[in-house]
Amino acid sequence: LWQRLGQQTKNGKTCSQCWVLFVSPAAERLRYILGDEDDAPTPTLFTEMDTLQHEGGELEWRESARWVKFEEKVEEGGERWSKPHVSTLSLHSLFELRTCLQTGSILLDLEGYSLPQIVGKCVEDGLLAPELREKVVFVLLRKHRHQTKKPIHRSLADIGKSSSTSESKTRRERLCSCVPDHSQSRSMNDISDAPSTDQLKNKFMKKIPRDAEASNVLVGEVDFLEKPFVAFVRLAQATTLGGLTEVPVPTRFLFVLLGPQGKSKSYNEIGRAIATLMVDDLFSDVAYKARDREDLIAGIDEFLDEVIVLPPGEWDPKIRIEPPKKVPSADMRKSVFSLNELGQMNGTAGGGGGSGESLDGRFCGGLFLDIKRKLPWLLSDFYDAFHIQSISAVLFIYLGCITNAITFGGLLGDATDNYQGVMESFLGTALAGVVFCCFGGQPLIILSSTGPILIFEKLLYEFSKSNSIDYMELRLWIGLHSCFQCLVLVATDASYIIKYITRFTEEGFSSLISFIFISDAIKKMHKSSACSGIESRTLPLTLLKLLECSESPGSSCNTSSFYKYTLNGTALDWSQLSKKECLKYGGSLVGNSCKYVPDLALMSFILFFGTYSMTITLKKFKFSRYFPTKLRKLISDFSIFMSIMTFVGLDMLMGLQTPKLIVPTEFKPTRSGRGWIVKPFGKNPWWMYLASFVPALLVTILIFMDQQISAVIVNRKENKLKKGCGYHLDLFWVGILMATCSFLGLPWYVAATVISIAHIDSLKMESESSAPGEQPQFLGVREQRLTGILVFVLTGVSIFLAPVLQFIPMPVLYGVFLYMGVASLGGIQFWDRIKLFLMPLKHQPDFTYLRHVPLRKVHLFTLVQIICLAVLWILKSTVAAIVFPVMILGLMVVRKMLDLVFSQHDLAWLDDILPEKDKKKKEDEKKKKDRKKSKGQDDDSNEEVRKMSLCTLIHREYPIPSFEPHAHD
Amino acid sequence: LWQRLGQQTKNGKTCSQCWVLFVSPAAERLRYILGDEDDAPTPTLFTEMDTLQHEGGELEWRESARWVKFEEKVEEGGERWSKPHVSTLSLHSLFELRTCLQTGSILLDLEGYSLPQIVGKCVEDGLLAPELREKVVFVLLRKHRHQTKKPIHRSLADIGKSSSTSESKTRRERLCSCVPDHSQSRSMNDISDAPSTDQLKNKFMKKIPRDAEASNVLVGEVDFLEKPFVAFVRLAQATTLGGLTEVPVPTRFLFVLLGPQGKSKSYNEIGRAIATLMVDDLFSDVAYKARDREDLIAGIDEFLDEVIVLPPGEWDPKIRIEPPKKVPSADMRKSVFSLNELGQMNGTAGGGGGSGESLDGRFCGGLFLDIKRKLPWLLSDFYDAFHIQSISAVLFIYLGCITNAITFGGLLGDATDNYQGVMESFLGTALAGVVFCCFGGQPLIILSSTGPILIFEKLLYEFSKSNSIDYMELRLWIGLHSCFQCLVLVATDASYIIKYITRFTEEGFSSLISFIFISDAIKKMHKSSACSGIESRTLPLTLLKLLECSESPGSSCNTSSFYKYTLNGTALDWSQLSKKECLKYGGSLVGNSCKYVPDLALMSFILFFGTYSMTITLKKFKFSRYFPTKLRKLISDFSIFMSIMTFVGLDMLMGLQTPKLIVPTEFKPTRSGRGWIVKPFGKNPWWMYLASFVPALLVTILIFMDQQISAVIVNRKENKLKKGCGYHLDLFWVGILMATCSFLGLPWYVAATVISIAHIDSLKMESESSAPGEQPQFLGVREQRLTGILVFVLTGVSIFLAPVLQFIPMPVLYGVFLYMGVASLGGIQFWDRIKLFLMPLKHQPDFTYLRHVPLRKVHLFTLVQIICLAVLWILKSTVAAIVFPVMILGLMVVRKMLDLVFSQHDLAWLDDILPEKDKKKKEDEKKKKDRKKSKGQDDDSNEEVRKMSLCTLIHREYPIPSFEPHAHD
């Protein structure tokens, strides 16, 4: 036995050596041919595979599959293209293909202008017995039928066309013409140089890049051959070879495999293998640049070296694998072969998208940098807006803005005895918005009144009133001080603090704001439907009837419980009225008016939830299978507009007096006493002008925090913004607008988180999927100033749009609000982590951070966030709400303390690293890596290891094959 | 160049030959070792891979991955197991592994009882320099840390335990003990024979089959080796080697790879490769039966031959592939190596599940066969019911049945002046149901009154009344005749006709019935809420108020439109009343009673849609990620019960007088005049007894068609019923019950499609997924008689359950009805095909029939079905509804005509083949196949071709490598 084993070992060694033999030089070859960096990139290849078919006694080539990036197969029975899928190959076919290329004809840079000439040269290449050549040529020149076409019945007029067009016959071509004419002419009815109309009409063309070239794979079995005939041709010039390809794309490569009968399945697989190779980024490069047969073989070996193998027992080969969301980039793979290229790539990856906070200490350094960053984009800030999506975005955000303006306007009016009312709110929103969108650092941010400012105004007005101070003048001075403070913050580059706003703070803040939005929408909704009932004084009528009824035995309980049901919130108050009160109150109203309150409430809720759920549904419609992609995208983009229209229409149809949107129609201050300009002096004592510095400080902090965190959320990496941020510039304009608004007696404005997120969401771009099966990628956001400007201009002219706007019921707008709130919660990791609490371990999704951070740590982190959120929620419900943005500072402090509990490694996965820790972290990582390397631990950062192992495997000998069998005892 | 090419070709040939060399004999070897059929099946293997780690200066083995069927990796950072995924390997690692096995120590059937002894034998095998042996042993005996455990701090008391337990030291063992004692003892602290408590407590154990054995893979890098040390050990007896494995499973295989430092990634990959191989069904067989090294190599080669290769440019290796729904069975793969086994399999596949219609021409042949088929299951028909699922099924179907009984009872009462009322309906349902479920051929079928019978009764009663014929006596005679006719049909095996009921007819019929169910549910719902209003006479009150109001200016329009809104259906009638009429009618009622009709309606709709949507949602909950699997399954099983309870609770809480379920509480005939037995003679003239043969014929056709098509739908292949069908036996009992019910004056009963489908759906079984990642498979249905019997017994005693049942509001039950209707539409191919109309070609799902049938044909087929459905729907809405079941015959005729339009090939994919065409089809197929083979077309039936190609490739030489390079010109 030992003897035998020894022998076997030696055998094995031979084999493994031969494997090493053909792997090791492969990389060397590839490095040589792919190493040149200054080469132009090779064109994309479109590959078509045709198989030889006997159709009614005649031979013809029929298209059986095609590849742009993924495989599409012709479903023979279904007469259709399959879905694009990943080409699953068998190892066999790849090795067979390798052998084919080793033994077949390889014609590189062949000068050929027509198929007959090329085919002639192929057979002439010497590997075929002369008597078979004619037959092979005959077979290869049979007509091609493509999946898109009906059977071709072309006239004989086309015959011989090609021979007249290609004038310059070379020596080789003449050699080829020794093939008898009859076979050639009979086969030429589909082979002409000019693209046929069928080809030109093919809609598939738009899926193929413009500069693409074709590679044609022809496989088939014939009865006259005893040994396979294989040819691989690369043309010197890509040439359109008549009806060879389904689309009018010039052919560059040609692979022919004709073999004896009985192995069609095997030939097919080989054809699929070469086709798959031809569309492989790396191999197609090799194919373009190969100098000889060995380069091609090296390309295959390199391909084999990278293939992913699925064990037969764990996967069903019949499953067609859907194209993945992302595939490794070709550059990454190619970079192995040119080391300096790799360095470059790393360099660029580190660049762009930084927050641009280079603290150079210069006065206003950050502001100038922001302007410098923004200036080059000025023109594109306008022309980038020209897309239909922008219209939808404008309508959506416009409706959000006016709803907000009306709400805050109404509240401000209540709080300040109409010193600032709805009119001022509209005007201020328009003014501030237009200015900010025109000149701001991040024009995607939408300015709006916010809760804290509202509370501040309220407190300020009450203070002024009780102390007999002129409110408007005091407010003006606070505004001026605050503006000055903002400018100081700009000049001192104080926005550097945003570095400390990590995902933890972001998520906490934006979740909270979203919650407030949602709860506000529902509260307003409830209030409005309740209010409208009370105002129209019909509620007592109903109540009267109910109370009347309750005297009849047996039904009192029912009626009251019903009552509770339909008007749950306000039911208590009304039911506490005595019957007499009610009778007195209601009795006088019988017959006066009879709007049906409970049903107004029902109708309102239908409008509210209808708008919300229709928007959500239509938004998701993009991912359904129905209707063409473009239509779906349009529906999805205009989902909000369509929902609003639908429910406005429903409301009009019903004709119920639901509460409607009422905008001011006359251009004058809400409070008749005040003018449009606030005079700075005269009404308050002089020391007030200085003392107002103190409250201004609070306002400044409010504005600074609110503005910057919203800006951080808008600028976050996930949004892939390309034009950079401008925190300093943003703050500068917010400051300036503060002063302006104070002079005009308009409310103060600051970035509104939820509406800004909605703005970004409505402007997201996706790549048009180019190759069939390729997933559209999120490209970024239409960064421009035009949508914002339009929104605010529209807001400004809303006063004149009143006749149109009055048809919009408020519940519909509250539905839009609800949608905004819910939508802005989407895509927040925090929510994913909360859901983890409810999932058993094994059902948890495969989030990356779960691979690297222990679950208990993840849960702890989430719990801290939940507690913070709860505390913030409680705070904002009290009067402490005024210091609410300051709470963000609290969040940042909590985050800082988390450094004590969590390791930097865990925080890097769950959150971001704080600035000063950043350096430490990097050092730690480095150390760890070193230790890991020495320990030889399994590292998950595949990229690096993969490259390492590839290099190792290719440049050194195999680790295992190199060791020699030990001698026996 | 030519010279060079030639040379390269030769080189290539060497290589390809070497590849052929090691593939060809592989299959021969495998055929030899796997060919024995009478071998016991090899145990399942559990594989654990441990890697060597340096932890605080100490070496230890740490578990890094495990395989039951799919791979689970230890997430180092996350301290958790990854999700089970398909092991994606690199080709490299497989070739490296192959080399390892070629050069390393292979110890097969080693006698070993403890790890030190086994390790000793490994190093002793001679491939290692003597000075290294000690070190290798030391490393290999380091303790093992498993993912489930915290770091092990075991006392030194365990030291040397194993050396005392293993008494019988063989010569070899003594040889091994030449390794110094200190190293051994230091390493033994985790190596004992008895399974540790950690092992025994491991919950993972239940995921591993009982007879499983373990294979342990140990890989690591050490500093003292310059060449890798590889050992593959198969123990003669599977032995528990202390803490080696995480679970107390005896180890059979051991693979050790220790190598020089710097290549840990590569060693890991090799470890993963051997681990994946060990859990491969085919390779594990080979590993168990291998006689020598070459057998193992042959196993790898065979594995390589079957692997699926993904091109690197089309797939990201970082993606963890989820386990597929189904993997090719191991038997299929093994069958290649034993041809007679394959034959057997084909034989059995053709058997079971046939409809058992062997027309042997004997009298009652079919009936006897049915009984013969059913008898052996008699006992299991009862004990199979013992599962918690059955309780849910009983409750669900019970509620469906009593709702049906009440509805039909009420309608029958109206139609026959209470000759048959709700009481009779309950009694009849209970009687017929119990008898049928006890003795019927398919006890899963639920009997119920159906629409056509109701119409027949109505017509019959009207006819009797107008012609002064005694209805009950006439009905008795019709029943008797019909019973006789049924028995004749049974005796003549007329149920053979079901062979002609294909998917086309089935889908048409069941869709229609589902539609009727849905529309009935909604109609009843509407009627009940409208009725309750009218009955309690409060509607006029509301109307009165509204009309009063309409006199006040400006609000008339609103009120009327509101009115339309809340009571859309009946609004017209009421609004057509003049104001005076209304006043007169309504005026007298003011103050009398004041149930709030519109809100009763609202409440009813809330209960109705609430029950429906909660059921749907909970049913789907099984597929969510939240909560443990078992809880989810329970919730899903009891979804209907939970929904009903919730909404009954809500209704009670609201205390509204929604229409409730009212069952008769006294046991007496509904019509006071009639007794419990109908006398056959005396009231009608004698010729009536004969003449009733004619209407009986209609009833018989009604019953036969209705019964059989429902039975076909219940018995359809997708339900995977194991106990066979019994069409003749079913019909026999339906006939007998017909006569019995006629005597007792109870309604007639026949199989109810929708409730039967609901019954089956609520009894579906799924396999408990065994290996992690394996998808649960649909196993079949709990086929038993007990649930049916219980349902009908409960129906019978419902009279005594009235106090409980009266709390159930009818809208809730209608919600259950709606759910039944919608649920029975699920999984019908027809719907998938209708959806195709709305989808653009490229977004259509990859249905198998779309691969084989052109889309226009699919659309045409669907269109025919839609038209048939529409015609049926129209027919059933008219009085023609009485011949409704006869329409099924119409459907079957249409199906027959489709044979003229569609090819048999298309119909085979879209539908089933009709009996006489069956043979033709087979012949056609055969012919086609022959032609295809000769044409060398790509055949989609991979299975066959795959096997063929495997055999071809393995037994013959490679097709391509075999041809020799031609001489140059």
Side-chain angles (χ1 to χ4, degrees), chain B residues 463-713:
Chain B
F463 172 80
S464 314
K465 215 163 119 181
S466 57
N467 294 288
S468 314
I469 304 168
D470 186 74
Y471 164 66
M472 292 307 268
E473 200 180 295
L474 176 62
R475 193 174 165 278
L476 168 61
W477 278 97
I478 292 173
L480 289 176
H481 276 295
S482 195
C483 168
F484 171 72
Q485 286 158 6
C486 281
L487 295 183
V488 170
L489 288 174
V490 171
T492 53
D493 286 354
S495 298
Y496 180 74
I497 198 171
I498 59 124
K499 284 269 185 193
Y500 289 85
I501 301 178
T502 57
R503 196 211 301 262
F504 177 84
T505 320
E506 253 179 63
E507 286 186 348
F509 183 75
S510 66
S511 304
L512 188 68
I513 297 283
S514 301
F515 278 153
I516 294 175
F517 235 75
I518 294 169
S519 85
D520 273 7
I522 294 171
K523 258 192 231 155
K524 276 178 207 158
M525 178 58 224
H526 193 84
K527 209 171 155 194
S528 102
S529 58
C531 272
S532 72
I534 291 159
E535 276 165 19
S536 61
R537 302 208 174 166
T538 54
L539 200 58
L541 169 74
T542 322
L543 192 66
L544 168 72
K545 289 295 147 213
L546 292 171
L547 290 170
E548 255 182 12
C549 296
S550 70
E551 287 193 297
S552 68
S555 57
S556 63
C557 171
N558 286 337
T559 48
S560 74
S561 76
F562 145 71
Y563 192 61
K564 241 180 235 157
Y565 173 69
T566 46
L567 285 164
N568 35 29
T570 48
L572 266 177
D573 306 330
W574 286 101
S575 60
Q576 271 158 4
L577 289 175
S578 76
K579 191 194 151 192
K580 266 186 194 169
E581 275 179 298
C582 204
L583 266 175
K584 192 191 80 184
Y585 193 47
S588 65
L589 288 158
V590 168
N592 260 354
S593 87
C594 62
K595 272 163 232 123
Y596 217 126
V597 180
D599 296 284
L600 259 192
L602 180 68
M603 186 64 199
S604 296
F605 271 98
I606 287 172
L607 293 177
F608 176 62
F609 281 114
T611 309
Y612 166 72
S613 44
M614 184 169 165
T615 310
I616 289 270
T617 313
L618 288 185
K619 205 80 194 171
K620 278 185 200 153
F621 190 66
K622 193 159 64 180
F623 304 107
S624 92
R625 290 165 176 279
Y626 305 102
F627 303 114
T629 320
K630 277 196 181 156
L631 183 63
R632 271 185 283 143
K633 209 164 151 16
L634 204 71
I635 289 175
S636 173
D637 281 348
F638 281 85
S639 57
I640 293 146
F641 185 68
M642 284 165 66
S643 314
I644 290 172
M645 283 297 128
T646 308
F647 284 94
V648 167
L650 181 74
D651 182 66
M652 285 169 75
L653 210 74
M654 285 296 157
L656 291 188
Q657 296 195 335
T658 44
K660 297 286 193 301
L661 180 72
I662 297 155
V663 294
T665 46
E666 269 183 286
F667 185 76
K668 63 174 188 191
T670 312
R671 194 182 167 105
S672 51
R674 56 160 286 199
W676 278 123
I677 306 281
V678 179
K679 291 191 194 96
F681 304 104
K683 293 192 173 157
N684 289 336
W686 66 268
W687 53 268
M688 272 286 182
Y689 307 144
L690 302 180
S692 52
F693 180 84
V694 182
L697 211 57
L698 181 62
V699 174
T700 307
I701 295 171
L702 286 187
I703 285 193
F704 179 74
M705 294 311 297
D706 222 354
Q707 173 68 33
Q708 299 302 39
I709 194 161
S710 299
V712 167
I713 290 167

Side-chain angles (χ1 to χ4, degrees), chain A residues 4-5 8 80 83 92 125 127 293-294 305 549 558 565 594 625 632 655 843-844 953 958 966, chain B residues 2 5 8 29 80 83 92 127 293-294 305 549 558 594 606 632 655 843-844 953 958 966:
Chain A
R4 199 176 155 195
L5 262 178
Q8 294 290 351
R80 58 148 71 202
K83 282 193 167 243
H92 253 167
D125 194 39
L127 301 177
R293 186 192 299 269
E294 286 309 296
D305 205 57
C549 298
N558 286 336
Y565 172 68
C594 62
R625 290 165 174 278
R632 270 185 285 141
H843 293 300
Q844 288 169 0
L953 285 170
Y958 263 24
H966 294 264
Chain B
W2 287 119
L5 263 178
Q8 295 290 352
R29 278 183 170 270
R80 57 148 72 202
K83 283 193 167 239
H92 253 167
L127 300 177
R293 186 192 300 269
E294 286 309 297
D305 205 59
C549 296
N558 286 337
C594 62
I606 287 172
R632 271 185 283 143
H843 293 300
Q844 290 170 359
L953 286 170
Y958 263 25
H966 294 265

Side-chain angles (χ1 to χ4, degrees), chain A residues 506-518:
Chain A
E506 254 180 61
E507 286 185 349
F509 184 75
S510 67
S511 305
L512 187 69
I513 296 282
S514 303
F515 277 153
I516 294 175
F517 235 75
I518 293 170

Side-chain angles (χ1 to χ4, degrees), chain A residues 115-296:
Chain A
L115 192 60
Q117 179 204 11
I118 294 163
V119 166
K121 283 184 188 170
C122 285
V123 295
E124 169 206 334
D125 194 39
L127 301 177
L128 209 60
E131 67 275 14
L132 294 176
R133 287 188 192 172
E134 194 181 315
K135 285 182 181 173
V136 168
V137 168
F138 174 77
V139 167
L140 286 180
L141 293 181
R142 292 300 85 202
K143 61 184 174 186
H144 290 258
R145 191 196 290 187
H146 302 296
Q147 175 49 26
T148 42
K149 293 187 211 174
K150 301 276 151 239
I152 308 144
H153 302 293
R154 302 258 304 265
S155 71
L156 287 172
D158 288 341
I159 293 175
K161 221 179 189 176
S162 67
S163 54
S164 66
T165 48
S166 61
E167 297 289 302
S168 60
K169 290 199 175 190
T170 59
R171 194 190 59 81
R172 289 205 167 194
E173 204 175 353
R174 241 172 287 133
L175 258 170
C176 133
S177 66
C178 65
V179 175
D181 265 320
H182 72 273
S183 77
Q184 211 178 21
S185 60
R186 266 175 61 199
S187 67
M188 285 311 296
N189 47 0
D190 198 31
I191 311 293
S192 64
D193 276 5
S196 69
T197 43
D198 279 329
Q199 281 177 313
L200 290 174
K201 266 192 274 174
N202 197 337
K203 277 186 189 166
F204 185 64
M205 196 57 207
K206 66 181 174 190
K207 289 284 186 184
I208 302 172
R210 288 227 176 139
D211 67 333
E213 299 182 350
S215 76
N216 292 82
V217 175
L218 306 175
V219 295
E221 46 177 23
V222 288
D223 45 11
F224 54 84
L225 281 178
E226 283 181 5
K227 289 162 188 170
F229 165 76
V230 178
F232 180 88
V233 178
R234 182 177 72 205
L235 297 178
Q237 285 299 321
T239 315
T240 307
L241 298 174
L244 192 61
T245 317
E246 80 170 284
V247 278
V249 164
T251 299
R252 172 76 78 166
F253 294 96
L254 201 64
F255 177 85
V256 176
L257 168 59
L258 288 177
Q261 269 179 331
K263 307 220 176 64
S264 73
K265 179 79 186 165
S266 174
Y267 300 153
N268 254 318
E269 286 301 306
I270 297 172
R272 286 185 58 233
I274 182 73
T276 308
L277 274 167
M278 291 312 292
V279 294
D280 184 68
D281 294 308
L282 203 59
F283 186 83
S284 79
D285 255 28
V286 173
Y288 269 103
K289 294 173 182 167
R291 297 153 303 171
D292 53 25
R293 186 192 299 269
E294 286 309 296
D295 284 348
L296 289 174

